[in-house]
Amino acid sequence: MPIPSETLPPGMQVTPLHSFPPREKWDDWVEYDAKAWPKKLEKRYALVPTVCFNCEAACGLVAYIDKQDHSIRKLEGNPLHPGSRGRNCAKGPATINQVNDPDRVFFPMKRVGPRGSGKFERVSWDAVLEDVAGRMRQALLDGRKTEIMYHVGRPGHDGYIERVLKAWGVDGHNSHTNVCSAAARLGYALWSGFDRPSPDYENAKFILLISSHLETGHYFNPHAQRIMDGKIKGGAKLCAIDVRLSNTASMADYWLAPRPGTEAMLLLGVAHVLLQEKLFDRAFLETWVDWRTWLEVRKITELTFARFVTELTQHYAFATPEAVAKETGIAAERLVEIAREIGKAGSRFAAHVWRNAASGNEGGWQVARCLQFVGVLTGSVGTIGGTNPAPANKFVGKPFVMPPPQDVWSELLYPREWPLAHHELSFLLPHLLKEGRGHLEVYFTRVYNPVWTNPDGMVWMEALSDEKLVGLHCALTPVWSETARLADYVLPMGVATERHDLMSQETHAARWISFRQPVLRTLLARQGKHVEWTYQANPGEVWEEDEFWIALSWRVDPDGKLGVRKFFESPYRPGERITIDEYYRHIFENSIPGLPEAAAKEGTTALEYMRRHGAFLVQDNVYKTHEAPLSEKELLGTTRDEARGCVLKDGKPVGVIAGGMVCVGFGTLSKKLEIHSLTMDEWKWPEFAEPCYIPSHVHENHLDRTKGEFVLISTFRLPTLIHTRSANSKWLSELSNTNPVWIHPSDAQTLGVATGDLVRVATRIGYYVNKAWVTEGIRPGLVGCSHHLGRWKLKGDENGVNRWQQQVAELSKVGEHQYRLRRERGVVAFEGADKDGANVWWTEGGVHQNLTFPVQPDPVSGMHCWHQKVTVTKGKPDDRYGDIFVDTEKSMQIFREWLGKTRPAPGPGGLRRPLHFARVARPTDSAYRIGE
Ligand code: SF4
């Protein structure tokens, strides 16, 4: 039965679903039991919305809960969700596998025996809270505010943990950003102060993607459907820049596979054509770009826009199509053709880079800087069919009280060598610990498996095994993992149907929020049954972080003397501990415009509205937020600087004069788009202050082809895989269970290998052995291997990776710093609670490669540069599929080598980092100063 299009919120009426239960029937939905066929057996379901937790996109889901036995029958898309509009990728519905996986962690577990011995016993939540809170309390009493660290893998919530950490007064927020998006963030932030883009694909005329967005890229499903809308409805042209023939590239009008690391040069070539052929938006540039600074730093006295255009054109005169062709390998005519198409699209040019080239290369952050340069030239910033800065399209509600910022700075998070990093140097944590730069008393990993996900996993193993470096490690995780086995506590956390989180993402030109919720608890509440803690409604004693932090914080400061407890007291019942309902009720009632009114229309509360709908559209069609006028209050005390086109307060720009109005502008110091970054000058990187091309660490000049050297591309994933948690989905594991090494036929011939042959891929710290896949879908001279596969359980461990992907391996120390991981057994069928265990037919399970990657932190952005220079040879006689060898002494040498490329703080005024550069859980200004 269709949901009538006109009843959906604006912006969602384009392509309504044709078959979905109408919302008024969600309390009692009847379907026939498919398994009972041909008998017509009616099943009655309660439908409860939640939000997918299997990537960052936050698509809506609806859980079908059997009203008889309260089992979840299936999960489908939520048609009321403005971002995903009822659609999901394969990973959304696969949540049901994660719920029912017999190998998941059901109860809190405590290590017995030495750390890393793989032996655990069940404990109560009460015992966990008492022990962990005691260690934390002592650290806080001692003033050791940098010794408590929270390290997140899959975030999946907005704003919650920052509040908790500030309440504790610690500097302890760590993330996975620097193995993911740090480079792109810096490139974008230097332009506008906002570190991510929000393309309006569905209204674009030309879409440029530097990665495989249609299949796996950022905001995968919400973006993919809008890219297709743009193509189908508006005839948008699609260009995919990727060294690999991704599914996206196969759907594109143009597939460009340049030499890896030359993407910024390619984009400068586009800019060159736009400038030479005057295909740029003069009016936009004149008003919104800080061109005056560009002239001033060159000491040009003729401060006119016309002179800027002349100088700019001259500056990029070197990036001729021929020069670009020579460097990138992309034909000059093709570049010109694409640049002209982009120029024709004008303000309807939508573009995105997130991982891919940005995260592969030293200097990869300039790929984002140069891509945005093309966006600025076309005037497509914030326009219909253009690319918004992300804050325009994301909405984060405010909690009832925000603790003050912490007054300390952790150099384990932000070492002074990377003052401009976006953000924490998270993948260097074990290297920094081993170098004696700090100690952790309590370390929380949160849905995070750094041993397996990060580069240099053996160094992670060494550090996490050492109790002198990490006092207590709590792994908050839905599944056993390579990291969890090294924890002291393994604490079961919920999947998408078992936890509260509030999420918003910049999926399109709108602002929305979505509410993840423990669906069984919600159903019990509807039935009038009180549940104190979510783990009492979830399978086993699976909990959620939100409530865990409340309970833990309460124990850390039972009498309130530490000043922590007050932030966890109810805003409605003074002195009492806050409940999760109260926490979200306050946000929904007080900080989401329009939500209380929408709820009132339905005769319900804002909290109940969110529990029933799962999402709320705060604002639709959000464009050009930089043109919002400054309020009268904001204008008070300002002076006009007509020459610079801005207004000043206390000598600093606070708004931009545009079309006779004073507008808020962008998040930069100048309030304009900064083509020249004075911040880069001040922080010792003047040569990179403007959009430019930085040759990569895997540039052709660094390769010795005579020695069989290749560039390994590891930055792609298969669309049906998550990270660690794919292994707790049988459907996803069945769909994707091998990750062979892609080799072009010409290279395969040189190497003498065919599809299925073993190859040894050697990095600077070790090697791995995998099977070859000979394909024309990769540029010659490169090899590719997707991450997200190759899970292992160590021989002798009681618990381990979920059996859908479990390989049993032996880890041997074969030298003082040398390790060999050898597979003893592949994936096998198994008997158990899930009958499908007996149907497992796949055996390989993939090969892990990240263990063999040394850390390569970009000296500016702090991004791990994933591309590796490798030597590829035929497998040796003793090699076995899945073999891994690593030398961690070499790992540490290479860490120090890259450390030597940095230009450390202090910057101006003794700062560790520019005050205007964002930090997650930002401390006080004084903490930004070294020595204070
Ligand atoms: S894109 Fe797929 S995995 Fe990501 S949130 Fe949406 S349904 Fe889940």
Side-chain angles (χ1 to χ4, degrees):
M1 191 179 301
I3 291 190
S5 175
E6 59 277 12
T7 65
L8 292 167
M12 297 171 56
Q13 297 170 358
V14 189
T15 44
L17 298 181
H18 292 290
S19 177
F20 204 89
R23 206 182 63 76
E24 59 276 15
K25 294 196 176 175
W26 283 17
D27 274 342
D28 188 25
W29 176 248
V30 181
E31 276 187 8
Y32 294 124
D33 184 351
K35 285 191 179 152
W37 187 87
K39 251 174 56 187
K40 284 191 169 180
L41 181 63
E42 278 191 354
K43 285 273 192 184
R44 308 192 89 84
Y45 297 103
L47 272 55
V48 183
T50 187
V51 175
C52 183
F53 191 48
N54 284 339
C55 87
E56 67 286 352
C59 299
L61 291 173
V62 174
Y64 285 60
I65 306 173
D66 188 318
K67 291 175 76 171
Q68 213 172 4
D69 64 6
H70 282 200
S71 63
I72 303 173
R73 171 76 187 89
K74 62 178 174 179
L75 288 124
E76 292 193 340
N78 179 1
L80 306 177
H81 188 292
S84 56
R85 305 184 288 192
R87 300 156 170 94
N88 296 110
C89 77
K91 294 178 278 189
T95 301
I96 189 67
N97 294 166
Q98 299 174 315
V99 173
N100 294 329
D101 183 17
D103 289 345
R104 59 183 300 199
V105 188
F106 284 107
F107 299 97
M109 305 294 282
K110 183 178 184 182
R111 165 171 69 86
V112 287
R115 190 184 280 174
S117 59
K119 309 240 177 316
F120 291 83
E121 66 181 13
R122 184 175 161 185
V123 285
S124 67
W125 276 114
D126 195 58
V128 173
L129 292 170
E130 200 53 30
D131 185 18
V132 180
R135 303 266 305 236
M136 290 175 60
R137 185 165 55 241
Q138 194 55 53
L140 295 182
L141 283 168
D142 296 346
R144 291 180 282 134
K145 294 182 187 174
T146 56
E147 293 196 9
I148 297 172
M149 186 181 286
Y150 160 92
H151 204 157
V152 62
R154 165 59 32 237
H157 69 98
D158 286 327
Y160 194 98
I161 194 64
E162 291 90 321
R163 184 179 175 281
V164 173
L165 294 168
K166 282 178 195 272
W168 297 347
V170 303
D171 194 31
H173 185 281
N174 212 339
S175 67
H176 74 258
T177 302
N178 278 42
V179 293
C180 174
S181 58
R185 285 173 189 265
L186 177 63
Y188 284 114
L190 289 176
W191 270 108
S192 65
F194 305 124
D195 68 359
R196 51 173 74 189
S198 176
D200 182 26
Y201 294 124
E202 60 193 305
N203 295 305
K205 291 288 178 207
F206 196 100
I207 298 171
L208 179 57
L209 303 175
I210 306 185
S211 84
S212 50
H213 288 65
L214 272 173
E215 63 179 28
T216 55
H218 213 235
Y219 307 137
F220 166 25
N221 157 56
H223 273 183
Q225 53 179 277
R226 290 177 171 86
I227 291 167
M228 294 315 292
D229 280 351
K231 272 178 76 69
I232 293 166
K233 289 190 299 167
K237 288 225 157 59
L238 173 61
C239 174
I241 301 180
D242 199 330
V243 294
R244 191 179 62 89
L245 181 65
S246 62
N247 292 349
T248 311
S250 71
M251 302 283 287
D253 301 279
Y254 301 101
W255 170 39
L256 305 183
R259 293 194 183 95
T262 64
E263 291 83 355
M265 183 67 177
L266 185 63
L267 294 164
L268 291 181
V270 174
H272 170 94
V273 175
L274 295 177
L275 286 165
Q276 293 289 335
E277 301 193 6
K278 309 219 176 319
L279 295 172
F280 58 91
D281 186 334
R282 284 188 82 87
F284 179 82
L285 256 62
E286 182 162 13
T287 304
W288 293 106
V289 171
D290 180 19
W291 48 267
R292 218 178 141 97
T293 296
W294 168 284
L295 295 172
E296 286 169 349
V297 293
R298 286 170 168 75
K299 306 207 181 327
I300 293 169
T301 51
E302 185 198 341
L303 297 172
T304 64
F305 180 67
R307 179 67 187 268
F308 165 70
V309 171
T310 307
E311 291 290 330
L312 187 72
T313 308
Q314 187 57 36
H315 185 72
Y316 290 104
F318 73 93
T320 61
E322 294 70 29
V324 170
K326 192 162 171 234
E327 185 67 9
T328 65
I330 300 299
E333 322 70 77
R334 183 48 54 89
L335 172 78
V336 173
E337 181 187 341
I338 289 169
R340 286 177 182 157
E341 288 291 340
I342 291 172
K344 205 156 57 163
S347 65
R348 289 186 185 252
F349 168 68
H352 201 186
V353 59
W354 200 236
R355 302 182 185 109
N356 197 280
S359 65
N361 299 288
E362 183 177 353
W365 57 276
Q366 275 285 358
V367 176
R369 182 100 161 106
C370 293
L371 182 63
Q372 186 64 3
F373 184 27
V374 175
V376 170
L377 286 173
T378 50
S380 58
V381 180
T383 51
I384 295 173
T387 304
N388 263 321
N393 300 146
K394 182 172 169 104
F395 189 89
V396 180
K398 288 195 174 45
F400 65 100
V401 60
M402 201 60 188
Q406 69 277 19
D407 56 5
V408 286
W409 185 284
S410 169
E411 292 222 2
L412 288 175
L413 301 170
Y414 286 87
R416 61 186 67 182
E417 286 87 351
W418 288 273
L420 306 179
H422 274 63
H423 288 280
E424 305 93 353
L425 269 296
S426 70
F427 64 99
L428 298 185
L429 179 62
H431 306 77
L432 299 169
L433 285 168
K434 281 164 75 79
E435 293 269 280
R437 295 204 191 190
H439 162 264
L440 293 176
E441 179 65 16
V442 181
Y443 179 52
F444 298 99
T445 46
R446 190 268 207 193
V447 196
Y448 189 37
N449 185 9
V451 167
W452 187 79
T453 306
N454 284 356
D456 232 351
M458 289 294 182
V459 176
W460 276 89
M461 280 195 233
E462 289 179 343
L464 292 180
S465 304
D466 188 342
E467 292 184 48
K468 291 196 289 303
L469 300 181
V470 180
L472 182 76
H473 173 192
C474 302
L476 284 69
T477 172
V479 292
W480 287 98
S481 72
E482 292 78 356
T483 299
R485 68 177 299 282
L486 293 165
D488 301 300
Y489 285 109
V490 177
L491 305 177
M493 293 292 144
V495 297
T497 53
E498 299 160 352
R499 51 186 300 123
H500 288 94
D501 294 297
L502 194 53
M503 281 192 80
S504 173
Q505 299 295 18
E506 58 279 11
T507 54
H508 62 295
R511 288 180 173 138
W512 52 264
I513 58 164
S514 63
F515 192 35
R516 188 175 291 127
Q517 58 180 336
V519 296
L520 296 177
R521 179 178 180 166
T522 298
L523 183 61
L524 289 171
R526 274 187 207 165
Q527 294 168 346
K529 294 174 190 145
H530 174 69
V531 175
E532 186 184 7
W533 298 113
T534 292
Y535 69 77
Q536 293 158 343
N538 277 344
E541 287 185 8
V542 171
W543 209 355
E544 57 170 316
E545 286 93 357
D546 280 12
E547 282 192 344
F548 175 74
W549 300 127
I550 293 172
L552 183 66
S553 302
W554 202 255
R555 297 268 184 130
V556 166
D557 188 18
D559 53 13
K561 287 189 180 146
L562 284 176
V564 173
R565 175 182 153 135
K566 62 184 178 211
F567 297 110
F568 299 91
E569 290 177 359
S570 165
Y572 304 102
R573 299 171 296 115
E576 305 272 328
R577 189 178 59 211
I578 191 170
T579 65
I580 200 70
D581 269 12
E582 288 172 334
Y583 178 82
Y584 284 109
R585 174 188 158 191
H586 199 278
I587 291 177
F588 295 150
E589 286 181 353
N590 296 288
S591 71
I592 314 292
L595 175 57
E597 294 77 10
K601 262 195 210 159
E602 293 195 2
T604 189
T605 65
L607 175 62
E608 189 57 18
Y609 181 99
M610 289 303 289
R611 292 215 182 276
R612 294 271 175 184
H613 290 243
F616 179 68
L617 182 67
V618 180
Q619 195 181 354
D620 203 5
N621 297 316
V622 185
Y623 296 102
K624 294 197 175 182
T625 46
H626 56 281
E627 291 186 4
L630 238 56
S631 67
E632 281 189 20
K633 192 171 157 212
E634 288 165 326
L635 280 169
L636 273 180
T638 59
T639 54
R640 288 171 79 94
D641 182 340
E642 300 290 351
R644 300 199 86 86
C646 64
V647 295
L648 309 169
K649 193 180 266 182
D650 303 326
K652 291 185 187 149
V654 293
V656 175
I657 302 168
M661 281 177 26
V662 181
C663 309
V664 295
F666 296 93
T668 50
L669 291 180
S670 66
K671 294 289 161 197
K672 294 195 174 188
L673 294 164
E674 296 190 344
I675 191 164
H676 182 98
S677 168
L678 292 174
T679 305
M680 292 296 286
D681 289 343
E682 289 173 346
W683 288 79
K684 311 173 197 171
W685 293 101
E687 69 271 43
F688 297 156
E690 292 163 5
C692 67
Y693 166 52
I694 304 172
S696 166
H697 66 298
V698 293
H699 188 276
E700 197 63 35
N701 291 346
H702 302 315
L703 301 174
D704 187 343
R705 295 291 187 185
T706 63
K707 290 186 179 154
E709 288 182 354
F710 285 78
V711 179
L712 169 65
I713 307 296
S714 64
T715 46
F716 66 100
R717 67 179 175 198
L718 305 178
T720 41
L721 291 178
I722 311 166
H723 285 265
T724 295
R725 287 164 298 131
S726 317
N728 102 309
S729 164
K730 58 184 177 187
W731 296 343
L732 301 181
S733 300
E734 180 166 19
L735 286 167
S736 308
N737 43 63
T738 60
N739 62 336
V741 178
W742 299 35
I743 304 178
H744 192 269
S746 58
D747 294 323
Q749 195 178 18
T750 309
L751 292 168
V753 296
T755 293
D757 287 351
L758 287 184
V759 287
R760 187 188 268 211
V761 180
T763 66
R764 293 181 68 199
I765 63 167
Y767 66 81
Y768 66 87
V769 178
N770 197 349
K771 288 185 180 172
W773 181 43
V774 180
T775 170
E776 290 184 337
I778 190 160
R779 191 186 159 85
L782 318 180
V783 289
C785 185
S786 79
H787 49 285
H788 299 57
L789 279 170
R791 305 293 311 282
W792 72 84
K793 167 190 168 168
L794 289 186
K795 203 169 140 191
D797 277 6
E798 287 169 359
N799 307 287
V801 171
N802 312 65
R803 281 171 288 180
W804 312 107
Q805 286 184 17
Q806 184 186 88
Q807 304 174 58
V808 177
E810 185 159 35
L811 180 63
S812 324
K813 204 164 180 189
V814 293
E816 199 184 343
H817 303 283
Q818 294 176 333
Y819 301 87
R820 190 182 72 175
L821 190 73
R822 171 155 272 194
R823 195 169 97 130
E824 293 265 316
R825 196 210 70 202
V827 184
V828 292
F830 58 92
E831 301 295 330
D834 190 325
K835 299 280 173 266
D836 278 342
N839 296 327
V840 171
W841 53 264
W842 54 99
T843 56
E844 288 186 4
V847 176
H848 186 68
Q849 57 182 341
N850 294 5
L851 278 175
T852 66
F853 295 169
V855 292
Q856 303 183 143
D858 182 273
V860 186
S861 71
M863 175 82 219
H864 171 61
C865 305
W866 280 101
H867 291 355
Q868 300 281 330
K869 182 169 83 168
V870 295
T871 307
V872 182
T873 51
K874 275 178 94 157
K876 310 272 183 268
D878 287 345
D879 282 351
R880 284 200 222 153
Y881 176 80
D883 274 359
I884 287 164
F885 170 81
V886 175
D887 183 332
T888 56
E889 191 169 29
K890 287 188 183 160
S891 298
M892 293 303 287
Q893 279 167 12
I894 294 171
F895 158 67
R896 289 181 205 112
E897 191 183 292
W898 282 75
L899 198 63
K901 298 181 181 211
T902 60
R903 298 179 190 170
L911 287 168
R912 300 172 185 277
R913 178 176 180 79
L915 284 168
H916 62 284
F917 266 31
R919 261 201 59 176
V920 185
R922 190 185 196 281
T924 56
D925 282 2
S926 64
Y928 271 63
R929 292 181 204 286
I930 292 175
E932 286 190 25

